[in-house]
Structure formats: structure tokens, C-alpha cells
């Protein structure tokens, strides 16, 4: 390839492949010291131009009048503050691919901040101006002097500033370009959001101030001792009062310590003192190694139960405040997550402080992705062009040097989806040389030439098992390395399905060391008309729609059903029925912690109603140990459903959750309810244009039910359609197996119901139909047989497929409408939260109450949602429905057709009817919005089926 020669004008740096000019060498980041600092966050003046060179540099000079400029918040993105619009693409570059050239149309934000030094700002010494994150390229002036420019949006850059400062009226000018050569390295499946989105800080550097330093704190699990050595570019002393440590920098000291792990995040407060500065240290002793083909910390193999985390806030984008970062960490800990991959860039450094404090394993990923080059077979990929290598090495160094002192960081990642090439090898070599204490990760290296682990994205379960058994081929080196799934279980919309089966594989094979669900949060943008906006809602000419909404949290940080499911699947305590009747088996699935911090509680319920709780005496099992524990005697259910539920609760307050927080639970049915007596004996009676059968009235001509127990019932009929989920519709590259489009091609969303006969045989009313789509031969021969004992009404539905069926059904059941007013509150005995065949691990059996509105799951793009599993009975709208056998239940204030057509939540307006689905079976969910579809066991293939429901008045 031939790289463009930057123009000689003042903006030539924009298309220069170098990392920049003028920045100081990278160094360790720390939040505070006793040296003075001044935050320059707050209100800045902003002028946005359409091109990189539309304005001159006069604004950077002292005295420039920017009074008519807009004011924006820094940290922030100008496109989220009313100036321009965000752009979302998954991997396609939103500009022509001609590296390193960028479009002439290049939104450029000139930022101005005038500040005074505080009265107590020291007179002597130097000063450093620090930018923690600017997208994507910036040029900086201080008091009219050009001090440099930089790229590397999510990395720190510091500039010497002391010689330019004055006591009052300092003018800081920053020109930020949306597009630059650096944009080719930042194609990271997220909104493209220009701006100064992380902190800007002025740091005083007194004579003898601390420079760069490296805290080495290893742990010997055999002796129980830790070795501390702090290498520092400026001589000083290291003190850790709790340990009695007081040594010069560079000198190691070994002594007994408690180890740091994500389960037991023990930190020791220390101080690095140089002649001019005291820097607080938080020291965690731990050793990371790849030994015996496994990733080990302190001699123990890890099992990552992780998430990929983009930084996101629905109003502020990637400009996260400390409270939001802390909320993320607390939510992770409370949902049993133990690891984070910082996709696809280093996070705000304060986030890593929180991971140290609360305990999370971190794979720290470099600010690098060139995914868009896949469209041209990786031709011209910067990571395989030596001229880009200095920029790649600069990015690697800025990550490692900034974050090297965090015990939570156990692995460095070269980046994401950037193909392969010499630049990545150079990065890996540099990182291995600079920090041999941590393994190096990169998924896009199938031969593991540059990496210490074999990493994969979205392999199906069967392939994961082949990998675990070493049957997947590949190089010998690859087969000897530990395996992680750096992305799996795509959490887009309803789902992901199949989490439990992945976890079973992880726990069955030592080589499989867990994975990271994609991803943590939906990147919906607050929008006054659409609720949360996604790709295409801002007029982008190229976008990937709602593919940016694929998180376990909704944009407002409300946990989705997917996060609740994941929390259950990855519980650190396994609670199962014991091998002896009347016992429960407790297994410790922690890697390091025993169970002394937990209390155990057992409770029974009869028909979903609690019948007393008892404490269980569970020994403080070590990791991997199990025990059989005797349960209290079960109550006499008297023909009712009886279950026991055992919960593992925090025995006391922790930094991340209070006493009583549920860490794990298990449930088992010990007695099943006596089935209701058959609803027979009453005879159908013709009364004019109606047929009366027990408590129901039917249309004599069509056989359609009109009322049951005086309650109006609308349009009861077989239903096989659901508003397709993101996982039903699948990723575009999965054209052969995704079922949403094939369902529509067959016409399952527009089924016709042909009436063949209405029959009475003395004790039953039978309606015979054929349900099929126009233009196809495949259909479902369906019979509705109604019987009654004068008080209850029984419906038996028989379904026989006809013709050739090449796809499974979305669902199989009946749908009907009830008046919205009386149907506002729903009571049921069954699973409590949203669940589908492969997403039901977290479904707690019990008696529940909810409004129809509360039954809806507010996915950013509306789709099938809200089903409850294992339902024995439900009461709503003046009716009770019992299932024979259990069934799936959902109710919504709009039709499935309206739900299917909606593109945003605001498209859905409740009507005068509540539409109820009673499903015999559902098709699985899977993860095919990016990963594999449902496992075969969760397919709903058309086959003969019969199922029944009994309708009656509520029992109060």
C-alpha cells in the first residue's frame, strides 16, 4: 500500500499515522497524592466546524472572544449535547476506507477553557496537563502556545505545562477532530462520539515528585508469603504500616500476607514517598501464571464468570461519573459476575480502582480494532503494516504503563478483531518484555503465535466440547494452552439462551476456564420521542440498527432477564437435591473462598404459599467440597403442590451487598398437586344463534367462545407466531440457520384459520379447523374440544401437522382477548420471571402477582417477551385457567402483530383488550443475533400434540 503523505498545512497531523507529538512518556496512573492538582472539568466553550480546517487557530490565543460560542460539559461528547448527531456502526467504517485518509467532512470541535490557578497553588516546580480520553484526535494550545497533538482516544496523554502557566487567565484551547488516521484503529462496535469525554487535570509536579513506578506484589501460595518491590524512576521509600514495611524503592521485602483474589480482595494501604511527593498505594499480593496448561492465580486455576463491558451512559455516552462506575461494579458483584473484559479499550482508570477494591478479575484490552478491513480481505490492515507499528506500540505502552499497578488486572489483551500481523507481534513482544507477570490475550490469533491463551468467540456448545477434548485440530501450541471464550452468549434483546449448557461444559473440563458474555449494557441513547434510540435514529447513512443494544442491562441500568438468568447459572454455590431423600447437597463452586461468609435457609411452600423457614447448618466447605444436609420435614400438602427452596445468604454486610443478599438458591418439588377432576357432565344446549355449555356461551355458527363465567372472551384460536426476537432473526451472515426470516418466508406471521366443522356429540362441542399460511401447503389440522361439569370449562386442543415442515414453530398454544379493565392484575402459580425453554434456570416457582404492564419486558427494540414458565394456574380478568399439564403464560396490552411491527417502546400504546397466550410449548431463544442458535433439544418441531386448559371463576 502507499500511505498518504500528510499535507503541509496546520491539520496534516490528522491523517498522520504517528501517535502524535509533544506528549510525555506514559506512566502509572494514580488518583491522588499530596501534590496539588486542579480539575479542569466543567463548562467549556465550543465551536463546531464541518471540516478539519474550516477555522484558523486564532481562537487559541489569549484574549479571543468566544462569548457567542456554545457551552458544553467536559467530560462529554458534543454530539450528545445538541451539536451534531452520533453515528453507530458495528464494524463497517462510516467513511470511505482509504487509510490513512479521512473525509473532508470531518466535524471538528474547538474547545476553550479559561482558568485561574488556586491561591494555594505552589510557586515552584513543574506542572503537567493530563487528558484521560479524547476522541479521536486533538491538538492542544496553552496560553497561545502549541504544545502538541495526540491520537489514541481512550488512553491518557500528558503534556509539560508548567513553563506556560500564569496565576490568572490561563487559556486552554483544544481542537478535537471526529475523524483521523487513529479512527482506523478504533472500529470498536460502538457509537462514534467525538469530544473530550474523560477528565482533564492540571497536576503540579514539585521538585523530586514521583515519576513512573511499578508495584510488584507477588504471592507464594506454598509459603503464604508475599514479596513487595516498588521500582521507581525517582528514588524514594515504600511504607506499608500494617505490615511494618519501610524499605527503599527497588528493594524487595518478603513477609507473611493475605493474598488478593477477586473473591477475597485484600488490599494493604501503603505510601510511596519521594523527595517531593507522597503517593498512596493500594497493594494486592497475587501471582498470575500459565502453568500445566491453565491460567492460575496463587496456584489455583481460575474460572471466569465474566462480562464484556463497554463504557456507556444513555445521556452522557462514554463520559462516566464515579457513581455510575461504582454502580456497574456493585451490580456485577451482586449478580455473581467475577470478571470483566474491558472491551475494546482500557476503561476509565477509576474503574480499575473499583475492581481492585471490590474484587473483579480484569482482562485489560488495548484501544485497538480494525474490524472494517475484513470487508476487503484484510488488505491494507494497519496491524500488518510497519508504518503503523509505532502507533500500535504507543497504544500498548499507554495501557500497560497506566494500569500495571492494579492487582485486578490479570491479563493484557492486544485489542479486538484486528486480523493478524507484524504490528500485533510487536505489541505482544513489548508487553511480554515489559511485564512478564501477566499473560497476553488476543482472540484473532488462531495459531496463538503471540498469545498465552487460546481465545474464541461464539463457538457452539458442540465445538466447545471438542476444543476441551483437544479434538479441534490447530497447532500443538494451541492445544496445550488454556481456553477462554472472550465473547459468547450474545445478550441482544430476549436472551441469551443456552447459558446453563455452556456453564456445564466449563465446569466439566479444566481446560475451559470460562468466558465473557457479550455484553454488559445496551447502548441506547435517551431520546425524547423514541425512549431509547439506536443506530439509524439519527439519520446515519450507514448503520447497524439496534445491534448496539446487546447488553445484560437496559440503558438505564435496570437488570434484564438475561442478567438474572446469568446470575443463577454462575452461582458460586450449587444447591441440588441430595442423594438421600429429605437432604440437600451443597457444593462450593468458589475458586478461593470457603462458605463461612454464608448462611443457609430452607423454606417450604404449599401451592406457592410459604409454609415456614428454617436455618440450615452447613459446614464452611472449602472450594470444591460438597456436603449432604438434612432438610426439615415437609408439611402435608393435602393434595397440593409442595416445594422446598434453599437459599445461600450473606451472613453479614459486605462492601458490595448487605446481610441477607441471596447469593444462590435451589428449589425442588417434593409433592405434586392432585389433578383437577375432568370437566365433563354438562351438555351443550343450542339457544338461537348460541350454544351454552356449562358456564360458557359459544357462537352456534362458528363455535367461537363468547363468554366464560360471564367474562367476554375474544378470538380464541391456535397461535404459533411470536414477535421475532433479535436472536430469532439472527445475524445477517447466518442465512442458512436463522429462523425468524424463514418463519416469515413460510408465512407463520399471517396464518389463516379455516373453519371445517362445528360439532356436538352430546357432551362436547368440537370445532375443527385448519391453520395454514397463504401460498403454502403446510398446515396444522386443529380441533378444539370443549366440555364442562357445569361450573368449569375444559378446552382440549389437538394439533396434527400436514404437509412438509422445514422449520420449527415459534410457539404452540392458544391466544385470546379479555377486556383490559378487569384484566389489569394477574395472579399465578408458576415461574416468577420471564423464561423460555433455554432461559429458565432463574425461574423461581411460587405464587406471584403483577399488573399486565409489569409483565412486559421493556427491550429497546420490542419483541417477544414476558412468558412465564411452569404455570399451574393463572387468574386474570375474572377467569382462572388451570393447565393440564403446566403451561407457558403471557399477557400484554397489545397484539403480537403490533408488538412485531414496533421498532421502539413508544410505538406500543395499550388498547382496550389484554391479549393472553397460553402455550403448550415454546421454541428456544439461543444466541443467534451473533452466536449459535438454540440447542436442538429446544427446537419446537411440528408434531402431533394435545394439551388442555380448564377455565373457571377465580377462587379468591
Amino acid at each position: 500500500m502507499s500511505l498518504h503523505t500528510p499535507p503541509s498545512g496546520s491539520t496534516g497531523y490528522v491523517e498522520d499515522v504517528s501517535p502524535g507529538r509533544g506528549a510525555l512518556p506514559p506512566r502509572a496512573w494514580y488518583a491522588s497524592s499530596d501534590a496539588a492538582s486542579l480539575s479542569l472539568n466543567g463548562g467549556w466553550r465550543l465551536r463546531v466546524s464541518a471540516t478539519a480546517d474550516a477555522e484558523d487557530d486564532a481562537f487559541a490565543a489569549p484574549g479571543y472572544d468566544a462569548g457567542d460560542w456554545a457551552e458544553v460539559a467536559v467530560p462529554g461528547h458534543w454530539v450528545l449535547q445538541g451539536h451534531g448527531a452520533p453515528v453507530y456502526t458495528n464494524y463497517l467504517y462510516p467513511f470511505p476506507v482509504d487509510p490513512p485518509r479521512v473525509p473532508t467532512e470531518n466535524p471538528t470541535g474547538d474547545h476553550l477553557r479559561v482558568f485561574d490557578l488556586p491561591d494555594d497553588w505552589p510557586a515552584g516546580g513543574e506542572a503537567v496537563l493530563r487528558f484521560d480520553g479524547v476522541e479521536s484526535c486533538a491538538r492542544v494550545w496553552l496560553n497561545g502556545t502549541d504544545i502538541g497533538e495526540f491520537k489514541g482516544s481512550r488512553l491518557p496523554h500528558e503534556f509539560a505545562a508548567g513553563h506556560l502557566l500564569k496565576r490568572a487567565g490561563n487559556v486552554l484551547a483544544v481542537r478535537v477532530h471526529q475523524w483521523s488516521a487513529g479512527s482506523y484503529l478504533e472500529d470498536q462496535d460502538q457509537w462514534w462520539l467525538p469530544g473530550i469525554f474523560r477528565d482533564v487535570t492540571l497536576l503540579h509536579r514539585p521538585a523530586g515528585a514521583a515519576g513512573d513506578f511499578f508495584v510488584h506484589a507477588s504471592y507464594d501460595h506454598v509459603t503464604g508469603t508475599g514479596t513487595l518491590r516498588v521500582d521507581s524512576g525517582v528514588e524514594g521509600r515504600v511504607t506499608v504500616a500494617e505490615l511494618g514495611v519501610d524499605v527503599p524503592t527497588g528493594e524487595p521485602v518478603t513477609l507473611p500476607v493475605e493474598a488478593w483474589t477477586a473473591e477475597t480482595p485484600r488490599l494493604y494501604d501503603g505510601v510511596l514517598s519521594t523527595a517531593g511527593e507522597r503517593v498512596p498505594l493500594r497493594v494486592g499480593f497475587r501471582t498470575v501464571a500459565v502453568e500445566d496448561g491453565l491460567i492460575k492465580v496463587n496456584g489455583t486455576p481460575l474460572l471466569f464468570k465474566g462480562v464484556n463491558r463497554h463504557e456507556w451512559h444513555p445521556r452522557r455516552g462514554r463520559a462516566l461519573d464515579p457513581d455510575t462506575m461504582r454502580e456497574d461494579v456493585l451490580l456485577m458483584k451482586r449478580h455473581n459476575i467475577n470478571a470483566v473484559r474491558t472491551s475494546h479499550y482500557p476503561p476509565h482508570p477509576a474503574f480499575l480502582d473499583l475492581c481492585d477494591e471490590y474484587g473483579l478479575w480484569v482482562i485489560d484490552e488495548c484501544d485497538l480494532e480494525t474490524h472494517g478491513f475484513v470487508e476487503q480481505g484484510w488488505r491494507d490492515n494497519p496491524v500488518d503494516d510497519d508504518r503503523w507499528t509505532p502507533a500500535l506500540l504507543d497504544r500498548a505502552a499507554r495501557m500497560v504503563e497506566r494500569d500495571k499497578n492494579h492487582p485486578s488486572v490479570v491479563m493484557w489483551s492486544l485489542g479486538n478483531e484486528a486480523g493478524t500481523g507484524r504490528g500485533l507481534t510487536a505489541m505482544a513482544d513489548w508487553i511480554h518484555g515489559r511485564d512478564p507477570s501477566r499473560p497476553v490475550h488476543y482472540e484473532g490469533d488462531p495459531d496463538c503465535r503471540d498469545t498465552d491463551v487460546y481465545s474464541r468467540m461464539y463457538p457452539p456448545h458442540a465445538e466447545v466440547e471438542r476444543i476441551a477434548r483437544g479434538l479441534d485440530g490447530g497447532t500443538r501450541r494451541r492445544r496445550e494452552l488454556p481456553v477462554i471464550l472472550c465473547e459468547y452468549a450474545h445478550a441482544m434483546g430476549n436472551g441469551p439462551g443456552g447459558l446453563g449448557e455452556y456453564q456445564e461444559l466449563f465446569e466439566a473440563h479444566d481446560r475451559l476456564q470460562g468466558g465473557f458474555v457479550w455484553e454488559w449494557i445496551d447502548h441506547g441513547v435517551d431520546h425524547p420521542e423514541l425512549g431509547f434510540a439506536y443506530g439509524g435514529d439519527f439519520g446515519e447513512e450507514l448503520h447497524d440498527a439496534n445491534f448496539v443494544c446487546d447488553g445484560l442491562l437496559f440503558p438505564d441500568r435496570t437488570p434484564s432477564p438475561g442478567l438474572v438468568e446469568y446470575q443463577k447459572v454462575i452461582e458460586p454455590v450449587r444447591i441440588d437435591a441430595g442423594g438421600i431423600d429429605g437432604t440437600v447437597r451443597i457444593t462450593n463452586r468458589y475458586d478461593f473462598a470457603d462458605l463461612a461468609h454464608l448462611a443457609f435457609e430452607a423454606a417450604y411452600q404449599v401451592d406457592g404459599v410459604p409454609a415456614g423457614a428454617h436455618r440450615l447448618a452447613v459446614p464452611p466447605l472449602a472450594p470444591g467440597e460438597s456436603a449432604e444436609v438434612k432438610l426439615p420435614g415437609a408439611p402435608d400438602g393435602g393434595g397440593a403442590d409442595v416445594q422446598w427452596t434453599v437459599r445461600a445468604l450473606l451472613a453479614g454486610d459486605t462492601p458490595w451487598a448487605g446481610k441477607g443478599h441471596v447469593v444462590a438458591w435451589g428449589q425442588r418439588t417434593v409433592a405434586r398437586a392432585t389433578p383437577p377432576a375432568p370437566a365433563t357432565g354438562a351438555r351443550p344446549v343450542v339457544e338461537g344463534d348460541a350454544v351454552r355449555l356449562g358456564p360458557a356461551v359459544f357462537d352456534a355458527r362458528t363455535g367461537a367462545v363468547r363468554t366464560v363465567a360471564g367474562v367476554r372472551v375474544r378470538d380464541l384460536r391456535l397461535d404459533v407466531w411470536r414477535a421475532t426476537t433479535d436472536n430469532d432473526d439472527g445475524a445477517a451472515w447466518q442465512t442458512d440457520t436463522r429462523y425468524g426470516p424463514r418463519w416469515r418466508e413460510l408465512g407463520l406471521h399471517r396464518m389463516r384459520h379455516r373453519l371445517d366443522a362445528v360439532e356436538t356429540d352430546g357432551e362436547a362441542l368440537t370445532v375443527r379447523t385448519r391453520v395454514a399460511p397463504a401460498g403454502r401447503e403446510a398446515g396444522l389440522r386443529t380441533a378444539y374440544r370443549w366440555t364442562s361439569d357445569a361450573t368449569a370449562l375444559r378446552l382440549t386442543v389437538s394439533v396434527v401437522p400436514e404437509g412438509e415442515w422445514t422449520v420449527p414453530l415459534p410457539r404452540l398454544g392458544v391466544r385470546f382477548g379479555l377486556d383490559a379493565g378487569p384484566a389489569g392484575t394477574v395472579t399465578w402459580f408458576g415461574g416468577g420471571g420471564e423464561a423460555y425453554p433455554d432461559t429458565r434456570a432463574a425461574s423461581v416457582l411460587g405464587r406471584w402477582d403483577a399488573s399486565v404492564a409489569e409483565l412486559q419486558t421493556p427491550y429497546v427494540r420490542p419483541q417477544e417477551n414476558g412468558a412465564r414458565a411452569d404455570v399451574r394456574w393463572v387468574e386474570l380478568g375474572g377467569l382462572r385457567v388451570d393447565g393440564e399439564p403446566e403451561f407457558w403464560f403471557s399477557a400484554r396490552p397489545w397484539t403480537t402483530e403490533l408488538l412485531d411491527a414496533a421498532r421502539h417502546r413508544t410505538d406500543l400504546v395499550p388498547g382496550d383488550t389484554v391479549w393472553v397466550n397460553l402455550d403448550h410449548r415454546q421454541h428456544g431463544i439461543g444466541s443467534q443475533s451473533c452466536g449459535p442458535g438454540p440447542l436442538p433439544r429446544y427446537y419446537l418441531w411440528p408434531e402431533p400434540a394435545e394439551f388442555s386448559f380448564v377455565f373457571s371463576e377465580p377462587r379468591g
Side-chain angles (χ1 to χ4, degrees), residues 85-116:
V87 174
Y88 168 62
T89 60
N90 168 24
Y91 71 93
L92 293 174
Y93 290 103
F95 47 79
V97 178
D98 183 22
R101 303 297 303 276
V102 295
T104 301
E105 299 80 8
N106 188 358
T108 295
D110 290 335
H111 296 70
L112 272 179
R113 175 80 152 84
V114 179
F115 65 93
D116 300 333

Side-chain angles (χ1 to χ4, degrees), residues 449-467:
R449 179 183 61 182
D450 301 323
T451 64
D452 301 304
V453 298
Y454 178 33
S455 179
R456 288 293 306 276
M457 291 183 180
Y458 307 108
H461 299 77
E463 184 180 355
V464 173
E465 184 161 17
R466 289 197 300 273
I467 293 170

Side-chain angles (χ1 to χ4, degrees), residues 273-308:
S273 299
T274 64
E277 188 176 15
R278 288 171 54 86
V279 180
L281 304 177
R282 303 202 78 186
V283 181
F285 291 90
R286 57 104 186 98
T287 295
V288 187
V290 176
E291 297 175 341
D292 307 317
L294 298 173
I295 305 163
K296 296 181 181 180
V297 171
N298 305 335
T300 297
L302 298 185
L303 184 60
F304 292 116
K305 304 170 182 178
V307 291
N308 288 276

